[in-house]
Structures are given as C-alpha cells and as structure tokens.
C-alpha cells in the first residue's frame, strides 16, 4: 500500500504520534479505519476544520476508511475550548439542524463510498449516570485529567464539571468505534493530544494492553507572521458558499504570503511532490507571477466547491482586474461584489449626476459633474461622459444590479429593489 506516513511526514502534517513505527507498519500491511470528530456547534464548517480533514482525505485516497464522528452528544455539552469561558449550551433542535448541514458538507468532501459518518449521541445518550460513573469514571485519574493541556489552561479562570468530563466522553467515543467500527486511529489538532491519549488509555484498560490503537495530531497552523491561520479581517472563512462565496474563498488562498504558500500547497492540495517543488522554485525565482498562489487557490477551491466554482472565481477576478464587468452574470456579481460599498435603489430612470448624488457615490453635484465630464465614471462597464445621461437601473444584469466604478479601482454596487 501507499506509504501514507512517509507522505504525511514530507507534507509536514504530523505533530505527535502514538507508536509511530507501529502505525507505519500497520498502514503498510492493510487498510485501516480512522476517525476524527467534529461537534455541531455551528451550521457550517470553516477552513480550520480542513486541517484534520485533509489528513483524513489523504488516508482515504491511500485506501483507508475514514470515519467522522458528528458530536450530537458531546456538542450538546461543549468541549473546553482554549478560550477563557464556557461554551453556550445549544438546544437539541439547534444541534440537530447543525448536524444535517455538516453532514451534507462532509459528504461533498469525502463522497459516500469508503466513508462513514456516525453520531456519538447514538451511544452516549444511552449511558445512565451510574453506568458512566461505574464503568468509566473509575478508570480516569483526576490528577491526570487536570494535567491535560486543554484543562490546565482553564484552571485559573475556572472550568465546569460538564466541560471537565468532555475528555471522558471523547475517550468513550474512541472505545465505541474501536469495538464496533474497527477504528484503530484517532486524529486531531495539536490541542487534542490529551483527549486522544486518554482514549487510547481507556481502550487498553478495557480491551487489554495489546489492543492496537494509535493517535496522531497535526501541527498548529500558524502563518509566517505568527498569527493564526484561517482568520481574516472579516472573520472565519466558511465552507458554506452562502457565508463565504466561492470567489471570496478563492481570493483567500490567492492572497497567501510567499512565505506560507509552499507549506499550504503541501498541506491543502493533492498535488504531487514534483509539481509542488517546481512551484516552490517559481516562488523563489518569479514571485511576482504568484503562480504558486494561483495553483493553491485553484486546487483548494476545486476540492471544496468543485471545478465550476474555480472557473467562475477566475472569471470574476479577471473582470475586476480589467474593469470589464459586462461579461459577468448576476450570480457572479453577487459573489464578486459582496464586500464593495452597496446601496439599494429603485428601478426608476434618473439623470446620472442626480443619481450619483442620491446614492452617495458622489458627495455633491459639482463633483459628480466633474467626474462624469473627466471620464472617471463607468456604469456597468461603459464610460459615461455626458452629464445629461439618463441611467436605467434595470438595463443590465437581469435588472438586479448597477455597477459603478469611480476612477480606476473604486467600485460601488447598487441593488435594484
């Protein structure tokens, strides 16, 4: 079989491993099942979730069987996050709705063959309090639990018993999956190491010291400037195209720093070593062409949103760069102009000077007349030079939008209501 561990090592995708030699030997001998968990705390995954999912996908492509646990049970109580506060408990209706959205997103990433999604609510909800304390609580040492990094970081400000027990519930997940789904490996972010080792310890206590179970964590993903990967000025980058459009998603990857792009190519794409090394050479010799960034944007956008989304994102990018917006569809405008200043307008025709002032694109009639006369105003890709020009808001883009550009780069979007 493919040497998946060697590939992950080259891609700098391994932080810590429980019995690395044993895991390498096992994965070269046979196909294994492995899992990663995600709690339904929101209605969409974001690119931070791609960090463990890319490793899961690589195992899948190498012939192994990924399992994702949607934490309908653990999500109802919340894990002790790195933040100095308790998570807000969600209603079960919220958890269920989020679970359905996340399931659809993950099936898009992993397909439906050689892939399993389970919900830990199915087994955790059957545990009585007495069973939990007798069968599992007895096997966990409080001193050991307190020393887990994710718990220790919260002790100064306080942590509830509910969140404190999260690592026991996650350990029960691993035990259940080992017994009933033949799962031998759990993967997670660097902050999950304590929870993962707690799970392997529980399995060894329950099933015997010779049980072959492993854990693997992924390095903390930091940008070259030391800040956390995946955050932008506008917040998280979501996989839901309604929250982060495919164009915005594409632009996020296209705008990565030269210092980060090769590492991201290794981690977030399925390009082979030869192509990535060739792109790394381009970064070193011709960084101004940003060929590596473009390839990164293409590959990750294709993986998450499909090939057509790449075509549309590049079409929008080309139109905005050239200023020729006439070929854009109304749907592409919805994507590409989400972050530009916008205003609602009526469908009524109006004099261009008055319209520019009414929409506050221009501060005064004097400035509006001057900009029109000087050719600084384009409407829907057409340069306007006549101050008597009558603007029809429904003339283009299915009657939904008017795109105004003032000067070379300042865009405005009018939404026709």
């Amino acid at each position: 079989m493919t040497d998946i561990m060697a590939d992950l090592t080259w891609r700098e995708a391994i932080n810590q491993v429980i019995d690395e030699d044993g895991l390498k030997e096992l994965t070269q001998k046979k196909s294994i099942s492995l899992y990663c968990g995600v709690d339904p705390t929101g209605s969409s995954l974001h690119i931070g979730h791609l960090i463990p999912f890319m490793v899961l996908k690589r195992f899948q492509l190498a012939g192994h069987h990924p399992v994702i646990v949607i934490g309908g049970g653990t999500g109802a109580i919340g894990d002790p996050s790195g933040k100095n506060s308790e998570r807000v408990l969600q209603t079960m209706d919220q958890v269920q709705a989020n679970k359905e959205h996340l399931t659809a997103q993950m099936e898009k990433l992993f397909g439906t063959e050689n892939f399993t999604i389970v919900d830990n609510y199915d087994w955790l909800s059957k545990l009585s309090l007495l069973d939990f304390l007798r069968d599992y609580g007895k096997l966990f040492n409080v001193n050991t639990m307190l020393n887990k990094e994710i718990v220790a970081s919260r002790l100064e400000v306080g942590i509830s018993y509910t969140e404190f027990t999260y690592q026991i519930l996650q350990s029960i997940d691993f035990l259940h999956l080992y017994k009933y789904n033949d799962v031998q490996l759990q993967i997670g972010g660097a902050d999950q190491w304590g929870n993962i080792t707690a799970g392997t310890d529980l399995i060894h206590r329950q099933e015997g010291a010779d049980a072959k179970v492993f854990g693997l964590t992924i390095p903390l993903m930091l940008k070259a400037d030391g800040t956390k990967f995946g955050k932008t000025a506008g917040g998280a980058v979501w996989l839901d195209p309604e929250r982060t459009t495919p164009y915005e998603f594409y632009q996020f990857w296209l705008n990565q720093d030269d210092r980060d792009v090769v590492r991201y190519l290794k981690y977030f794409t399925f390009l082979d070593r030869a192509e990535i090394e060739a792109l790394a050479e381009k970064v070193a010799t011709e960084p101004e062409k940003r060929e590596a960034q473009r390839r990164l944007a293409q590959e990750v956008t294709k993986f998450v949103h499909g090939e057509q989304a790449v075509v549309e994102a590049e079409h929008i990018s080309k139109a905005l760069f050239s200023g020729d917006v006439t070929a854009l569809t109304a749907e592409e405008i919805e994507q590409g102009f989400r972050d530009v200043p916008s205003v609602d307008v009526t469908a009524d025709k109006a004099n261009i000077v008055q319209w520019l002032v009414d929409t506050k694109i221009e501060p005064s009639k004097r400035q509006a007349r001057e900009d029109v006369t000087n050719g600084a105003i384009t409407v829907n890709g057409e340069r306007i030079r006549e101050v008597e020009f009558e603007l029809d808001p429904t003339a283009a883009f299915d009657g939904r939008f008017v795109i105004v550009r003032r000067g070379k780069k300042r865009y405005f979007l009018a939404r026709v209501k």
Side-chain angles (χ1 to χ4, degrees), residues 243-306:
R243 299 179 72 172
T244 299
T245 68
Y247 167 74
E248 292 169 319
F249 189 84
Y250 178 94
Q251 287 295 317
F252 170 81
W253 298 100
L254 186 65
N255 291 325
Q256 292 305 316
D257 193 299
D258 287 344
R259 296 171 295 174
D260 294 317
V261 67
V262 175
R263 185 160 55 101
Y264 293 168
L265 281 167
K266 287 181 179 181
Y267 196 90
F268 291 104
T269 78
F270 303 103
L271 300 178
D272 62 28
R273 184 167 185 165
E275 185 169 355
I276 291 174
E277 288 177 346
L279 288 166
E281 180 66 20
K282 293 285 183 66
V283 174
T285 59
E286 300 175 303
E288 70 284 353
K289 291 186 176 180
R290 300 187 67 77
E291 195 170 326
Q293 282 88 344
R294 186 168 293 104
R295 200 76 179 89
L296 174 67
Q298 289 170 340
E299 289 298 305
V300 189
T301 305
K302 181 173 69 173
F303 175 54
V304 173
H305 294 296

Side-chain angles (χ1 to χ4, degrees), residues 5 18-19 35 93 105 121 131 139 156 197 226 307 318 339 382 387 400 402 412:
M5 296 300 290
I18 296 172
D19 186 8
Y35 98 95
D93 285 345
Q105 288 185 336
Y121 183 83
D131 290 339
L139 302 178
E156 198 169 312
T197 56
E307 187 76 56
K318 184 178 179 181
D339 289 334
E382 178 187 354
V387 294
R400 293 169 54 191
V402 180
F412 300 87

